[in-house]
Amino acid sequence: MMNLIEQLKEHEGFRCNYYYCTAEKKTIGYGRNVESNPFTPKEMLMLGRKDFDNDPMTEEEAEQLLVNDVNRVTASVKEYFPWAELNPSRKAVLVNMAINMGITGLLKFKKMKHEILLKRYEQAGVEMMLSLWAEQVGGRAEQLSLQMYAGQWVETDKYIRGSYNNVTR
C-alpha cells in the first residue's frame, strides 16, 4: 500500500489550504474533494480538529486522510473488478484512477474493464490512453497506463512520455 500512497502523493500534490480543483470542487490536502467526500466526524476526531478554516492542514493529517480514502475506494473497486486476479501494481492503477475521478468515473472505462476481465492487460493500458482522462492528466495517465500494461510499478521519472502517441483503435 505504501507504493500506492507515495504514488498518489506525487500525483495529487499537497496543498495545506482549500482550493478549487479543475472540476471546480473544494479540495485540500492530497486532492481530497470535500464536496464529494466530506470529512467524517470520525476523521475529525482522529485528527483532533473541528475544521481547517483557520489552521492549515499538515502533510501528516493529509496522509492520514489519504490512507482513509484509499481504504474506502479500494472497497468499491473490489466490487467491480476481478481483484483477486490482479497483481498489486495493477490494483494500484485502479485505485489511483478511482481516487482521481471517483468510482463512477472509473466505471466509465468500459473497454478497459472488458480487457481486464479478459486478462489482456496490455490492451487495457492502451484503452486508458484512448480517453479524455488521459488528455486531461497527461503524465499521470502515461505512468498508470504503462503500469497496467507491464504489471510492474513504474516510477514517475522512468516512464516514457509520448509512448502511446501513435495508438489507434
Side-chain angles (χ1 to χ4, degrees):
M1 183 160 141
M2 279 315 295
N3 281 342
L4 173 59
I5 297 297
E6 293 306 314
Q7 187 179 62
L8 283 165
K9 286 167 63 174
E10 188 171 319
H11 287 168
E12 294 291 341
F14 172 73
R15 296 215 194 155
C16 63
N17 292 307
Y18 289 111
Y19 65 97
Y20 286 89
C21 70
T22 56
E24 297 300 319
K25 303 286 185 174
K26 189 175 180 182
T27 306
I28 194 170
Y30 291 111
R32 175 73 174 257
N33 171 345
V34 296
E35 291 181 31
S36 299
N37 186 19
F39 302 116
T40 66
K42 184 178 178 182
E43 286 175 325
M44 296 308 279
L45 185 62
M46 171 187 75
L47 298 174
R49 292 266 198 161
K50 291 182 182 171
D51 59 47
F52 295 99
D53 296 330
N54 297 316
D55 290 322
M57 180 179 281
T58 67
E59 289 187 56
E60 293 78 21
E61 290 171 326
E63 186 170 334
Q64 287 179 308
L65 294 169
L66 182 59
V67 168
N68 285 356
D69 290 344
V70 165
N71 289 332
R72 179 184 45 76
V73 167
T74 298
S76 295
V77 173
K78 284 179 177 182
E79 291 180 37
Y80 297 100
F81 288 87
W83 194 254
E85 297 173 20
L86 299 172
N87 70 17
S89 62
R90 288 184 173 127
K91 290 176 181 178
V93 168
L94 298 174
V95 173
N96 189 315
M97 291 175 74
I99 290 280
N100 182 236
M101 66 185 109
I103 191 70
T104 55
L106 176 64
L107 293 176
K108 292 178 182 176
F109 284 72
K110 294 181 187 325
K111 290 182 180 180
M112 178 197 74
K113 182 179 179 184
H114 176 75
E115 297 299 339
I116 289 171
L117 291 171
L118 295 175
K119 298 181 184 179
R120 296 193 305 219
Y121 305 114
E122 296 85 0
Q123 188 60 34
V126 170
E127 291 298 334
M128 290 167 62
M129 291 305 298
L130 297 172
S131 68
L132 176 60
W133 169 79
E135 291 176 28
Q136 292 170 335
V137 301
R140 181 182 194 163
E142 291 181 27
Q143 181 183 13
L144 294 177
S145 173
L146 288 171
Q147 193 166 308
M148 177 62 75
Y149 184 97
Q152 298 176 10
W153 290 95
V154 177
E155 295 181 32
T156 302
D157 61 348
K158 294 185 180 177
Y159 67 88
I160 303 166
R161 291 189 179 275
S163 57
Y164 289 99
N165 284 347
N166 296 319
V167 173
T168 58
R169 289 190 194 264

